[in-house]
Amino acid sequence: FPSTTITNSTNTTSNSKTSLNAFVADNGIGCNAEETSALMRLIDARDAYLESITNANTNPNISMMHPKVLCKTYRQQLIECIQHWEIRMSDNHGTTGMDMNKHEDDEAKLAEESIELLKLTHAIVQLCETFLLDEADNDGDN
């Protein structure tokens, strides 16, 4: 992976260097509009969840958002991402028809694989919500 070095200096006598692995936008790795939009909404949902925890800790009259709410929000964003992406793919396939060249065909196959991975992610999140969060709720009741 590409990496970058960050130099931290808290005073003039000591410097520490940290190497971070990072994806660079111009190296061919990136997100389409649907994925980017979903990621931003996932971050917003996580921030709202963390804020509810902070508010519940500082004010006993405010209840914390249940983790299931966050999980359902995550699943909903994945569903919307998949649906919008599939619609765009079907629109693109309908307009290009059989005139796709090898490069476009490879891109379409890669997009279909990515959509399938998102569907698997959705299924895993739903299974985690069903079995792990329900189990945690039941353990908390005992």
Side-chain angles (χ1 to χ4, degrees), residues 89 96-97 99-110:
M89 290 295 297
T96 58
D99 298 334
M100 290 175 52
N101 62 29
K102 173 95 170 104
H103 177 69
E104 290 171 336
D105 190 41
D106 289 345
E107 283 183 359
K109 286 180 183 176
L110 182 61

Side-chain angles (χ1 to χ4, degrees), residues 62 64 97 99 122 140:
I62 298 176
M64 182 181 85
D99 298 334
H122 176 266

Side-chain angles (χ1 to χ4, degrees), residues 32 114 121:
N32 61 30
S114 296
T121 302

Side-chain angles (χ1 to χ4, degrees), residues 66-79 121-138:
H66 196 279
K68 275 190 173 185
V69 174
L70 180 63
C71 192
K72 286 180 182 181
T73 303
Y74 280 7
R75 284 193 300 115
Q76 182 60 39
Q77 297 311 318
L78 281 171
I79 289 169
T121 302
H122 176 266
I124 291 168
V125 171
Q126 185 171 13
L127 288 171
C128 289
E129 178 187 332
T130 301
F131 292 106
L132 299 178
L133 290 179
D134 282 346
E135 186 174 304
D137 286 345
N138 292 338

Side-chain angles (χ1 to χ4, degrees), residues 2 4 11 18 27 40 44 48 58 71 73 82 89 95 114 126:
T4 184
N11 58 38
T18 306
N27 69 357
M40 295 306 293
D44 289 343
T58 58
C71 192
T73 303
I82 292 166
M89 290 295 297
T95 58
S114 296
Q126 185 171 13

Side-chain angles (χ1 to χ4, degrees), residues 46-100:
R46 190 208 73 209
D47 289 346
Y49 176 75
L50 294 175
E51 185 178 328
S52 78
I53 292 172
T54 303
N55 290 341
N57 288 337
T58 58
N59 186 347
N61 296 329
I62 298 176
S63 63
M64 182 181 85
M65 181 189 301
H66 196 279
K68 275 190 173 185
V69 174
L70 180 63
C71 192
K72 286 180 182 181
T73 303
Y74 280 7
R75 284 193 300 115
Q76 182 60 39
Q77 297 311 318
L78 281 171
I79 289 169
E80 287 181 19
C81 176
I82 292 166
Q83 288 173 340
H84 291 161
W85 198 353
E86 286 179 330
I87 290 169
R88 185 173 52 85
M89 290 295 297
S90 67
D91 289 347
N92 287 347
H93 183 66
T95 58
T96 58
M98 296 304 233
D99 298 334
M100 290 175 52

